[in-house]
Amino acid sequence: MTANEPHELEPSPDEMRRLVELAVSHLVPHVASLGAQPAADVAGAMEVARTVFEPMPEHGAPAGPLFERLFHELVPKSYNAAGPGYLAYIPGGGLFHSAVADLVAAGVNRYVGVVAPAPALAALEATVVRWFAELCGLPRAARGLLTTGGSMANFIALVTARRARLPEDFLRGTLYVSDQAHHSLAKAAALAGFPPSRVRSVPTDARFTMSIPALEAMIAADRAAGLSPFFVVGSAGTTNTGAVDDLCLLADVAARERLHLHVDAAYGGFFLLTARGRAAMRGLERADSVTLDPHKALFLPYGTGALVVRDGEALRRAHAGDAEYLPELQRDDELYDFCEHSPELSRGFRGLRVWLPLKLHGAETFRRYLDEKLDLAAYAHERLRALPGLEIVAAPTLTALAFRFVFDGVSDDELDELNLKIADDASARGRVLLKGTRLRGRFVIRLCIVSFRTHKERVDMALEDLASAAEDARASR
């Protein structure tokens, strides 16, 4: 390419401003109207999806029509996961401040997988990880990193424990998760090389928390069989019900049995900012590693997870590597190379999307919002208990609860179908999106109050629409 040829990939300052302004002219009205948009609009979504498949374009197209199509045709045909009525699942809404941070991070395009190319920006991300470790009560020797989500964090934690506690031939190692644990843990075990027969599913009690006697019996049986128990996972906010295991008792068992205690606090961890959250998760500070998901109860966009590990050197030893093309790597306790602490060498500059909103608003603001969500869950629980024929299956420990409607003279299978219909009918009104899960083999409806955009009036809408849908179901029988 000569100096006289057009440089389309190098826009002028004015062209950059025009492109950003065009994007913002669509994005700001979209975000501002989230509360008025349907909680879900997926009618015909698969047909719209098929229109996207096309050959790679040979020639470019104007930006205006592309943004028009994106915001008016493609984005609307989806769950409104950023809206206040998104009560079906746990992720928490996507802070606009983080979107701005991502624009900056991608625009400056600095590499932070190794400290040397951008020490100050690597330090910024390491500072965020330090904040998270301190929130969990871990010591200064702890290290960690931001990941794409809790699944990757769980995988890295398991590999770290395997490398630290088992020999090179590790297939006699056994690990323990509750029957309510996130499925990413079984997937992590498979990816880490363990056959399914080495993953123990520990039964849970009436509160859906891990049975400590059952765990101890499984460990004893495995030791008697010549196996090597090494890893146990406590849940601090399960996906199904928001249950929090007794982390103090789990820590006692882990210490006595010489197991690595990992706490999956992807959903619940940031409730540690509140007094009620700290009380519910007492004992988490004794964990060897903790998974956190800032894209859940810290309200950040999808793709933001975190792992903190008590023994930072163990994390490094499990993932360190070397190559002639790498710059000099660090041996510093606080400013360390992320590539030496995870499977990734190439990675985005993730720290800014966390650092910027925390610096702009401070922990106090997030604490206030999280306390509001705890209050709303308690309020919804009390209101639901007053509805005729409603059974609370899992009361809220944090901000998720599970329930179902019961009708006299109806079989369990028919009740499953009726409750699924009630959730669908309540969602069809467009104000909230509700889904369910199966607990002890039965379908239940869940209410997950996590988004920073969800306030009392939206919870009232959910309760009204549920009551109306249940009344319609009762009348139709």
Side-chain angles (χ1 to χ4, degrees), residues 407-459:
F407 300 85
D408 293 336
V410 177
S411 71
D412 282 338
D413 287 344
E414 289 174 305
L415 282 177
D416 288 349
E417 294 177 6
L418 280 168
N419 277 276
L420 176 59
K421 185 176 188 307
I422 289 169
D424 287 345
D425 287 352
S427 299
R429 290 155 167 82
R431 302 195 295 180
V432 298
L433 179 65
L434 300 171
K435 295 291 181 180
T437 187
R438 299 190 77 84
L439 293 172
R440 311 283 194 244
R442 302 267 60 100
F443 179 85
V444 297
I445 304 170
R446 293 191 313 149
L447 201 63
C448 305
I449 304 171
V450 184
S451 174
F452 64 97
R453 294 188 175 102
T454 302
H455 305 294
K456 182 176 179 293
E457 64 272 14
R458 191 65 60 156
V459 173

Side-chain angles (χ1 to χ4, degrees), residues 271-281 367 371 374:
F271 285 94
L272 288 166
L273 287 165
T274 72
R276 282 173 285 181
R278 288 193 300 275
M281 288 176 271
R367 181 178 301 110
D371 270 323
L374 292 166

Side-chain angles (χ1 to χ4, degrees), residues 53-73:
F53 296 116
E54 61 179 349
M56 181 185 293
E58 183 63 28
H59 303 289
L66 297 179
F67 280 116
E68 286 286 331
R69 185 183 183 206
L70 180 66
F71 279 92
H72 295 289
E73 295 180 29

Side-chain angles (χ1 to χ4, degrees), residues 378-387 456 459-460 463-464:
Y379 168 74
H381 179 221
E382 289 304 310
R383 286 281 308 277
L384 285 167
R385 288 176 59 192
L387 292 180
K456 182 176 179 293
V459 173
D460 282 334
L463 298 171
E464 290 167 8

